[in-house]
Amino acid sequence: MKLRTLALDLDGTLLDCRPRQVQALDAALGHRYDNPTGFWEAKRGGATTREALIALGMAEGQADNVAERWRLAVEDDELLLADTLLEDVKRTLAVALLQIDRLVVITARRRGDAAKAQCEQLGLMAL
């Protein structure tokens, strides 16, 4: 029996967004962050940007300011170019499409137009 709909998150499930998120942090700080791996691991573990920075030793007030600047930078058109498809996504989705009627991509991004354009550019919309 076919499943009717499969919903997948865009960032981190279909796309490798680590480079973009780290670059956005660098932009928010005005310099290269000294622990990009720790930041990314905290984010992948479910932490917000603010929570990740505090967990890595940043003071709360500074983390609030940096997280807001990060939020404003992370969906910048230029930074979105850093995203790539995760390995084997197209092949995996092609197999999944044999078992479903519809694939839905969800995201918490603020700019739906940019997410759609990115999906088109990366070949996801063809699926």
Side-chain angles (χ1 to χ4, degrees), residues 4-52:
R4 294 177 56 161
T5 302
L6 174 63
L8 297 170
D9 186 38
L10 183 60
D11 292 330
T13 302
L14 300 173
L15 301 183
D16 178 2
C17 56
R18 179 191 190 279
R20 172 173 49 95
Q21 292 203 15
V22 170
Q23 288 174 26
L25 180 58
D26 292 345
L29 288 168
H31 60 82
R32 191 172 290 282
Y33 186 63
D34 63 350
N35 187 2
T37 300
F39 173 73
W40 180 244
E41 287 174 357
K43 294 282 288 177
R44 287 293 292 163
T48 65
T49 300
R50 178 187 184 278
E51 291 166 346

Side-chain angles (χ1 to χ4, degrees), residues 8 83 125:
L8 297 170
D83 288 351
M125 294 301 278

